[in-house]
């Protein structure tokens, strides 16, 4: 066998066994031969195509120009390659990667065209999948920020054209109680999705933040309707790992083009509005306004400075006396955090405590308050001037830490204070998050610490829980006390609270008592203790001893 015959045989073996489909044509483009892979990929046996041109494979997806360019390249460069859609014998259209070479003889005349192709439909599918991954949040399958940006650009153009507005809703959703966040987010996003229109874009924006883009609205009212619907949708519990979980939700709203031209600006604005909503209630929405930018900036400053103040021990504690209804003897003392910042001046606890609750600073802050108050109280006891009870404000957030009771026990051991002289005040909201606070409250109760509900009457908490939780005292909120005598509803509320307390066998302290008339009304209604400016404001530890301490014997 000659070398040429050898190479011919080799070529034949390669031709037949190649994974790529191969077709060889004559100079006119008529097919002379195809290999096995060609038949596998196209479904055409050699007998069906030999003598025909590859036009038999055309999918109809490319126009005449496409093929004209291909022939031009073959003539001028001797080669063409690219992506082309063809049709299999069974009618299925598929993409292939095709490269065609021209084979010429010694004089330069075309002998053959050889087309080699691979089926790239799998690769294309992967590409689509990749694109899908790149544009969607893997957890919730919702559009991610990238896709959102794309949709925003289109929506913004449409809204300018149609002279309609575009609303950006920043929705923050948090589970109440301890549940794994991922399944919670999936359940929450599925619930919300069912309350949105097809034309709304619903995207995952941050860990617990979702962004809704609403097109074609006529003003803030339309946006607030959607916000309302979303909040309502989350009122019923979500099923997460077989548990019924309630979701807290706050929504901030900004509008295009008034509040910003870019998605980033609108999202920042909506975020600021969301923080505002969160500062006001457990679930609600708020519109962005320019003042809110200032608010957000101030908040950032407070966060930074508060962190420093806690680390430097720059906070202070003030103490306010609690009296029996005769107004003669001090029955307790409430410790209240005070903060004067070198940059911001006096910052009210009502401003910095919610921020500390949001960012977790409440934990070190709460620990500092406890240590400081316990130590102070012990020194008063040593001097024989301590009132019977030390009251502290404890945030529900602190109870979320499973080791909270342990850390209290450790501080009790460290300072030597008796748990029987301690009272912890919780805001009314603990009553609605019962599932996860019960164990903590019960442990504190077993330790001998008394528990009370602060600001009673201001929330919408299920009162039934008062019966099941180890609560011994209610604290009527200042807002009701200040309204005494000025409106009937208010008086009814105060009477009702006192009635509830009596039924449940709870003690009641009225807070913010400023006038003799208020004191008389409360005393008549059966209130047990008073606290307020009529009896004494919160003052430094030294002043407290000077003004309110009676040596006990
Ligand atoms: P609160 O526990 O209900 O505290 C009572 C608030 O009413 C105190 O305000 C007190 O100074 C004020 N007050 C008492 N009597 C009167 C009165 O007759 N008239 C008026 N107008 N006000 C009166 P403050 O100290 O600004 O504290 C506000 C809230 O901040 C507290 O409400 C409490 O919820 C929270 N807070 C304060 N310190 C702490 C703390 O150490 N930890 C936690 N978690 N919260 C704290
Ligand atoms: Ca309190
Ligand atoms: Ca109070």
């Amino acid at each position: 066998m000659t070398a040429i015959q050898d190479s011919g045989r080799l070529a034949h073996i390669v031709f037949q066994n190649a994974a790529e489909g191969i077709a060889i044509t004559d100079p006119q483009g008529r097919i002379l031969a195809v290999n096995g892979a060609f038949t596998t990929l196209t479904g055409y046996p050699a007998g069906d195509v030999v003598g025909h041109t590859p036009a038999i494979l055309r999918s109809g997806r490319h126009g005449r120009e496409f093929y004209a360019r291909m022939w031009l390249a073959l003539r001028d460069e001797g080669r063409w390659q690219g992506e082309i859609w063809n049709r299999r014998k069974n009618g299925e259209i598929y993409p292939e990667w095709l490269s065609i070479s021209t084979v010429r003889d010694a004089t330069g005349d075309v002998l053959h065209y050889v087309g080699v192709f691979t089926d790239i439909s799998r690769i294309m599918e992967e590409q689509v999948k990749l694109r899908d991954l790149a544009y969607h949040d893997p957890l919730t399958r919702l559009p991610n920020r990238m896709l959102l940006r794309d949709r925003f650009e289109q929506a913004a153009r449409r809204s300018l054209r149609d002279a309609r507005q575009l609303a950006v809703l920043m929705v923050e959703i948090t589970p109440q109680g301890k549940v794994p966040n991922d399944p919670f987010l999936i359940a929450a996003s599925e619930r919300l999705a069912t309350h949105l229109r097809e034309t709304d874009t619903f995207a995952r924006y941050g860990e617990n933040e979702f962004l809704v883009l609403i097109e074609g609205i006529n003003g803030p009212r339309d946006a607030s309707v959607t916000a309302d619907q979303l909040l309502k949708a989350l009122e019923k519990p979500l099923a997460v790992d077989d548990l019924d979980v309630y979701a807290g939700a706050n929504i901030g709203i900004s509008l295009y083009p008034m509040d910003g031209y870019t998605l980033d600006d609108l999202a920042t604005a909506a975020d600021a509005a969301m923080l505002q909503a969160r500062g006001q209630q457990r679930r609600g929405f708020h519109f962005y306004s320019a003042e809110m930018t200032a608010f957000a900036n101030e908040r950032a400053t407070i966060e930074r400075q508060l962190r420093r103040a806690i680390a430097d021990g720059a906070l202070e504690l003030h103490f306010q006396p609690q009296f029996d209804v005769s107004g003669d003897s001090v029955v307790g003392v409430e410790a209240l955090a005070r903060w004067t910042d070198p940059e911001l001046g006096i910052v009210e606890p009502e401003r910095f405590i919610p921020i500390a609750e949001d960012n977790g600073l409440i934990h070190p802050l709460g620990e500092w308050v406890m240590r400081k108050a316990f130590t102070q109280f012990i020194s008063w006891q040593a001097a024989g001037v301590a009132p019977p009870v030390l009251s502290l404000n404890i945030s529900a957030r602190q109870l979320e830490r499973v080791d909270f009771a342990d850390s209290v026990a450790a501080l009790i051991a460290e300072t030597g204070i008796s748990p029987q002289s301690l009272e912890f005040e919780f805001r009314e909201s603990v009553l609605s998050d019962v599932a996860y606070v019960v164990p903590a409250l019960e442990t504190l109760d077993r330790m001998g610490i008394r528990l009370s509900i602060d600001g009673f009457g201001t929330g919408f908490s299920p009162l039934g829980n008062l019966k099941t939780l180890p609560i011994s005292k209610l604290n009527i909120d200042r807002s009701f006390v200040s309204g005494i005598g000025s409106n009937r509803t208010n008086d009814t509320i105060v009477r009702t609270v006192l009635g509830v307390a009596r039924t449940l066998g709870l003690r009641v302290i009225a807070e913010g008592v400023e006038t003799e008339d208020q004191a008389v009304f409360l005393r008549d209604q059966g209130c047990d203790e008073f606290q307020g400016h009529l009896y004494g404001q919160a003052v430094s530890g030294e002043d407290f001893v000077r003004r309110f301490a009676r040596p006990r014997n």
Side-chain angles (χ1 to χ4, degrees), residues 317 320 334-338 348-350 353 357 362 365 369 393-395 398 425 427 454-455 475 477-478 511-514 531-534 536 538:
L317 272 192
Q320 188 176 28
E334 178 177 12
L336 294 156
R338 291 288 175 269
E348 301 290 336
E350 257 140 12
I353 295 287
E357 287 177 332
I362 194 68
L365 187 153
V369 168
N393 296 287
I394 306 290
S395 157
Q398 290 173 267
E425 303 185 1
R427 289 262 137 201
D454 209 350
N475 184 328
D477 195 64
R478 187 164 91 224
E511 162 190 293
V513 181
E514 294 181 350
Q531 180 176 357
H533 293 174
L534 183 62

Side-chain angles (χ1 to χ4, degrees), residues 326-517:
S326 70
D328 291 336
S329 52
V330 176
V331 293
V333 54
E334 178 177 12
L336 294 156
R338 291 288 175 269
W339 177 30
T340 307
D341 181 72
E343 208 175 291
L344 300 159
I346 293 175
V347 187
E348 301 290 336
E350 257 140 12
R351 185 82 180 97
F352 69 81
I353 295 287
I355 293 176
E357 287 177 332
D358 271 356
N359 63 17
L361 281 176
I362 194 68
H363 301 293
L365 187 153
E367 171 124 7
W368 179 87
V369 168
M370 274 193 276
R371 178 173 282 114
K372 183 87 179 173
F374 289 6
T375 315
Q376 177 66 273
F377 194 77
I378 284 289
S379 76
W380 286 340
Q381 281 185 327
V385 295
V389 174
L390 170 65
S391 254
L392 294 184
N393 296 287
I394 306 290
S395 157
R397 285 295 307 273
Q398 290 173 267
L399 294 182
E400 285 173 14
R401 288 247 167 124
V402 280
D403 61 353
F404 177 71
D406 289 343
S407 69
V408 174
L411 278 170
I412 287 174
E414 178 188 318
T415 55
I417 199 167
S418 146
Q420 280 71 30
S421 51
L422 285 175
E423 180 167 299
F424 283 180
E425 303 185 1
F426 294 94
R427 289 262 137 201
E428 203 191 292
S429 63
V430 286
L431 296 177
S432 44
D433 296 334
V434 162
Y436 81 99
V437 298
V438 165
L441 293 183
E442 283 176 347
T443 309
L444 294 171
D445 179 55
R446 253 180 275 122
M447 286 163 64
I449 299 171
R450 257 169 293 176
L451 309 176
S452 75
I453 299 297
D454 209 350
F456 191 76
T458 51
F460 301 94
S461 309
L463 297 186
N465 294 330
L466 279 175
K467 260 205 297 249
T468 46
L469 291 173
I471 301 293
S472 58
K473 190 166 155 189
L474 300 182
N475 184 328
I476 303 187
D477 195 64
R478 187 164 91 224
S479 56
F480 299 121
V481 174
S482 68
I484 288 174
S486 63
N487 88 54
R488 299 255 308 268
T489 329
N490 189 87
D491 292 0
T492 312
I493 292 174
V494 174
R495 271 198 207 98
T496 312
V497 170
L498 285 160
V500 168
R502 232 189 334 270
T503 319
L504 297 171
L506 304 173
R507 294 177 66 74
V508 177
I509 179 166
E511 162 190 293
V513 181
E514 294 181 350
T515 68
E516 202 57 59
D517 286 350

Side-chain angles (χ1 to χ4, degrees), residues 62 65-86 96-102 113-117:
H62 307 285
E65 278 198 27
F66 177 88
Y67 297 101
R69 269 203 307 275
M70 180 191 282
W71 283 111
L72 222 61
L74 283 173
R75 194 194 63 199
D76 297 345
E77 293 152 36
R79 239 174 106 70
W80 180 89
Q81 62 180 357
E83 206 177 285
I84 182 169
W85 289 83
N86 274 342
E96 60 178 48
W97 182 258
L98 170 64
S99 75
I100 310 174
S101 324
T102 313
Y113 294 103
V114 179
V116 178
F117 64 92

Side-chain angles (χ1 to χ4, degrees), residues 43-153:
Y44 288 107
D48 283 5
V49 291
V50 168
H52 295 273
T53 69
I56 193 172
L57 301 170
R58 283 192 187 178
S59 62
R61 276 216 180 178
H62 307 285
R64 274 169 141 199
E65 278 198 27
F66 177 88
Y67 297 101
R69 269 203 307 275
M70 180 191 282
W71 283 111
L72 222 61
L74 283 173
R75 194 194 63 199
D76 297 345
E77 293 152 36
R79 239 174 106 70
W80 180 89
Q81 62 180 357
E83 206 177 285
I84 182 169
W85 289 83
N86 274 342
R87 186 187 299 276
R88 299 191 222 273
K89 190 178 180 184
N90 66 9
E92 189 188 7
I93 288 176
Y94 69 101
E96 60 178 48
W97 182 258
L98 170 64
S99 75
I100 310 174
S101 324
T102 313
V103 183
R104 295 172 197 273
D105 65 13
T107 63
D109 289 336
V110 173
L111 280 180
H112 303 294
Y113 294 103
V114 179
V116 178
F117 64 92
T118 49
D119 184 337
I120 55 170
S121 43
R122 287 285 298 282
I123 296 172
M124 298 277 278
E125 278 162 24
E126 290 299 314
Q127 234 169 31
V128 171
K129 250 188 256 164
L130 269 178
R131 203 167 303 157
D132 190 60
L133 282 180
Y135 284 112
H136 290 88
D137 166 50
L139 181 72
T140 58
R141 312 295 312 137
L142 293 174
N144 63 11
R145 285 191 188 203
M146 254 207 318
L147 183 51
L148 175 68
R149 208 166 286 286
D150 202 59
R151 298 262 178 92
F152 172 79
E153 302 298 336

Side-chain angles (χ1 to χ4, degrees), residues 152 156 159-160 164-168 213 253-270 288-290 293:
F152 172 79
S159 103
L160 285 183
R164 311 279 295 272
Q165 293 169 14
L166 193 62
V168 168
L213 205 62
I253 308 172
S254 62
L255 299 169
Y256 173 90
M258 291 86 83
D259 297 330
Y261 289 107
T262 66
L263 180 61
D264 287 339
D265 287 351
L266 289 162
T268 307
Y288 172 78
S289 65
T293 320

